[in-house]
Structures are given as C-alpha cells and as structure tokens.
Amino acid sequence: MSFDPSKFDPHAPAFIADPYPTYAQFRAQAPAWRVTFKVGPYTLYDSTWIFRYADVKRILDAKALFVKNKNPKHVSPAPFDVLQNMPNGLFSLDPPRHAELRSILDPLFARAIDGMDAEAAKIAKPYLDAAKANRRIELVSAYAMPVPSNILRIVLGITDDDWAGIEQWVTGVVRGNDYTQPRATQAMAGTCAMALGSYFQALTRGCPMHAEKGRMVDLMVESTGIEREETQMTLVNLAVAGYMSTVFLVATGTLNLLKNPAQLALLRKQPELMAKAIEEMLRYDAPAQLADRFCAEDTEIAGVKLKKNDQVTAVLGSANRDSDAFPNADTFDITRDDKVEHVGFGDGIHYCLGAPLVRMGAPVTFRMLLEGLPEMKLDGIPQWQTDPYLRSVVNLPLAIE
C-alpha cells in the first residue's frame, strides 16, 4: 500500500487502536517526520518524531545533545503559561542536577517499596473475590486502577482519606495531556496539576497533615540534598507517572494475553515466566509511547537537520517494534530473550524512576489475577484512550467462567 506521511494524524481512531503498522511504514520510508498541530494562530505542537530503534536510543542516551528543557524556556499560550512557573521535579531536570537528585532518590525509592509484594497481594484479593461473585469484571475500573493505586498510596505514605482526591487530580492531569482536547479539559488538567503541587507542598511541610514514616514522602523530606520545591514536584511526577504506568500495563497486558491464548496458557502453566512476560508487555505495547526532548545545538538525525531548541520526539513504541533490534518484533512472546533492551521505560539518565515499583507491583497484580480468575474471556469491545503519548485501553469487560 502507498504511504503518504504528510497525511499522518496521530489522533486518527485507526492509529490510536493500533499504531504499529503505521510505525513500521515510518521506519521504512520516513524515519524522521515533523508533526504539527495548530488551533487558530497558535501552534500547540511542533516536533520531529523519530521512529527507528538506533535513532531513539541516540536521543535517549545523548544527555548533552538532547535535553529536557530548551533555552530560552518554552512558554505555552495563555492561559496555560502559568504552569511554566511551577518548579521543576526530577522528570524535567537536566544534568548536572538530575544526576545529583537521582543518586539520592533511587535508594530512597528502593527502601519505600521494600516488602510491598505482600501488601500488593492483600490489596488485590478483595477485588478478585468481588469479580468471582459477580461472574464478570470491568478490569480497568475494578482492578487495574484500584490495585496499583493503593500500592502507590502506601509506597508514598499518603493517608487513605487524602488519596481519593489525588486520584481525581491525577486522572484530570492525564486527560488533559492530549493537546487536541477541548480547552476546558486542558484548563482542568492545569488546575489539577496545581492542586497536586499545592497538596505535596503542604504535605512536605507538615501542615496540617503528615505522611507515614518510612515511606517515600517522609524519606524525601528527611533526606539532605533535596530542595523542598524539588521534593514537591518530584512527588507530583511520581503520583502521575507511577500510578498510570502500572494501570496501563495491567490493562493492556491482560488484553494482549487474551489475544494470545497460547501465551496466556503458557504463563498459567509456568508462572516463573512472569518477569519475562512483564518485560515483553513493556516492549510489545508500552504504556509510554513517546518521549520529548529539545536539541541543545544544531544536529542531524535520520537524515533530517535539526536546529538548536527544536523539539524532537523519540517514538518508544516504534523503537520497541523495530525488527532490526528485535527478531519477530510483532510477535508477542513471553519467552523472548533478546540481547537488546527495550525502551518501554525510556533509557539513559531519564530511565523511569518508578520502574522498580512497576516491576515489583505488576507481577503480583498479574499473578493474583491469573490465580484468582482461572477462566476469563473478553466480553465486549475495549476502547482506547485518544492520547498518542500514552497507550492503554480505558475499559476491558471480562466474563468469568
């Protein structure tokens, strides 16, 4: 079939439902392509997307050439320019501060998630009991969301009473990440982002509430070397990315297991393959599909010249399906043992801080699901969310036999 990259629409329903054939066409014919989106006089989005694994790795690894923040700092059109005044968290810092902060946070996060696998099993059980009693379950709202959500709440050390509001704010932020959404939705996302920042600002100052001792908020507040503003915004980053990445992985991973019944049967028979299965889910259908950077200087990638401050987008989902890096890349194979590492969590200095939480929580969540619901089948049509940056089904109706 003929391919015209100029007609590419990253929000087209067919692309959102299955972006991988389009990624393959881009890798073969237009491995670097500029994507723009305008509303009236405003250019809301303008970035060069990069599709091949080798080029994506270069963007993620070349920390001095491809940076998180451009200079002069990008300012969104009003009224969203107010968000530019919020302090930076770990996710938006560049070297050398990023490396300094990461060296402090990584061991703290390891302490905060210690022993959480047992807690995760306790959290999951009542949701599965309810599903068995009802003989059906809408997996996203009744399992994939509440289980990882409660795991993250405990890891951060936030009270159950406060968490309900945080969940709503996180959902609002994620919904507004799609730049084609109505202004009201984007404005609500900005409001939710500021609410999250305000909450964590108050929490880290102990007024009027306190976090649980020995968990992530408390560990960050007590640690030397982290500025209060960095603590505040890094916690916002963790609340959004740490929660949604596991939710999306469980939801979409379950769908891919159901669509590949031989792999599901193999995982039930050999549960020791769970760790490999999680990595294959992250490669095959990653929750994070795109990662943005800015060029620190004039450069060239995939034959396209880029200028200083130009935005460039590493298409993680495409890189993970590149057959030059992964044999039989479009095959879902939980026994895969590739020598090349996937980029489902990104790579380089901005490798996902929450990856250990996902790798701890997801196996327990899936193990409990497969043990608790030994016979389940798709019982409806899943719908996909519309943001090309984030990939997940928003509903997954299952019948329990």
Side-chain angles (χ1 to χ4, degrees):
M1 295 177 62
S2 62
F3 174 60
D4 183 356
S6 67
K7 297 185 182 302
F8 173 56
D9 176 7
H11 289 86
F15 175 78
I16 290 295
D18 185 6
Y20 300 105
T22 303
Y23 288 159
Q25 291 176 312
F26 271 108
R27 287 195 303 272
Q29 301 180 49
W33 189 259
R34 189 173 180 180
V35 179
T36 60
F37 182 78
K38 293 184 178 182
V39 173
Y42 294 118
T43 298
L44 296 186
Y45 186 84
D46 184 1
S47 183
T48 299
W49 286 25
I50 306 299
F51 294 90
R52 290 176 179 167
Y53 180 88
D55 297 325
V56 165
K57 279 281 288 180
R58 180 187 169 207
I59 291 171
L60 299 177
D61 293 342
K63 60 184 179 182
L65 181 57
F66 299 103
V67 297
K68 279 280 191 174
N69 297 292
K70 74 176 183 180
N71 189 20
K73 191 173 185 180
H74 170 70
V75 178
S76 299
F80 307 115
D81 54 333
V82 66
L83 296 176
Q84 304 299 329
N85 294 320
M86 296 178 72
N88 286 326
L90 177 72
F91 290 15
S92 54
L93 288 173
D94 286 312
R97 184 54 185 159
H98 180 276
E100 296 167 353
L101 190 56
R102 189 66 185 255
S103 68
I104 299 170
L105 290 174
D106 282 345
L108 296 184
F109 201 71
R111 287 174 59 188
I113 67 173
D114 185 42
M116 276 303 300
D117 50 349
E119 289 290 336
K122 293 178 187 176
I123 291 168
K125 188 177 185 303
Y127 295 102
L128 296 173
D129 290 343
K132 285 188 285 187
N134 295 329
R135 310 299 293 177
R136 61 178 292 109
I137 184 174
E138 197 294 283
L139 192 81
V140 178
S141 62
Y143 188 75
M145 292 187 74
V147 174
S149 173
N150 279 287
I151 292 172
L152 182 61
R153 177 186 66 79
I154 296 172
V155 168
L156 293 179
I158 296 171
T159 65
D160 192 34
D161 290 341
D162 289 352
W163 190 249
I166 291 176
E167 282 186 306
Q168 295 300 316
W169 291 333
V170 168
T171 301
V173 170
V174 172
R175 189 175 293 131
N177 189 67
D178 182 350
Y179 52 81
T180 64
Q181 289 296 308
R183 275 215 153 191
T185 302
Q186 295 184 56
M188 179 59 71
T191 302
C192 290
M194 288 187 284
L196 280 169
S198 298
Y199 172 82
F200 283 115
Q201 184 182 59
L203 187 64
T204 55
R205 285 160 172 75
C207 53
M209 55 286 207
H210 296 271
E212 182 183 341
K213 291 293 183 182
R215 295 300 184 182
M216 195 62 185
V217 175
D218 174 62
L219 293 173
M220 290 177 68
V221 170
E222 295 298 320
S223 177
T224 58
I226 310 178
E227 300 293 335
R228 284 295 178 92
E229 290 76 13
E230 292 173 335
T231 296
Q232 168 192 339
M233 291 311 299
T234 297
L235 288 168
V236 172
N237 297 155
L238 283 172
V240 176
Y243 170 26
M244 300 312 295
S245 59
T246 310
V247 172
F248 294 169
L249 178 66
V250 172
T252 307
T254 300
L255 176 61
N256 284 321
L257 285 171
L258 292 170
K259 289 166 65 176
N260 293 272
Q263 295 294 294
L264 174 57
L266 179 61
L267 186 57
R268 289 189 185 280
K269 184 178 180 181
Q270 299 183 42
E272 65 272 16
L273 290 173
M274 184 62 74
K276 280 190 174 183
I278 297 299
E279 297 305 319
E280 179 66 347
M281 292 174 192
L282 289 164
R283 182 202 69 84
Y284 184 80
D285 219 358
Q289 290 280 300
L290 308 174
D292 291 331
R293 298 290 188 270
F294 293 99
C295 299
E297 59 187 61
D298 293 356
T299 188
E300 180 178 321
I301 189 165
V304 173
K305 294 185 183 300
L306 299 168
K307 294 183 178 180
K308 180 179 180 179
N309 296 328
D310 280 354
Q311 183 171 329
V312 62
T313 298
V315 187
L316 308 177
S318 175
N320 282 333
R321 292 288 194 100
D322 190 339
S323 58
D324 287 342
F326 304 98
N328 303 312
D330 289 324
T331 299
F332 183 70
D333 179 6
I334 65 171
T335 66
R336 185 179 291 275
D337 196 17
D338 297 318
K339 293 183 171 62
V340 175
E341 293 186 2
H342 67 75
V343 289
F345 283 131
D347 201 11
I349 63 169
H350 289 287
Y351 188 81
C352 179
L353 174 66
L357 177 63
V358 176
R359 288 187 169 120
M360 178 280 300
V364 178
T365 306
F366 274 108
R367 177 176 58 79
M368 294 292 292
L369 177 67
L370 299 184
E371 290 178 358
L373 305 180
E375 296 293 337
M376 57 182 178
K377 67 177 183 179
L378 194 61
D379 190 33
I381 301 174
Q383 303 296 315
W384 294 89
Q385 64 172 6
T386 59
D387 184 357
Y389 273 77
L390 304 170
R391 180 158 174 80
S392 176
V393 287
V394 295
N395 72 306
L396 191 61
L398 303 179
I400 312 301
E401 296 185 348

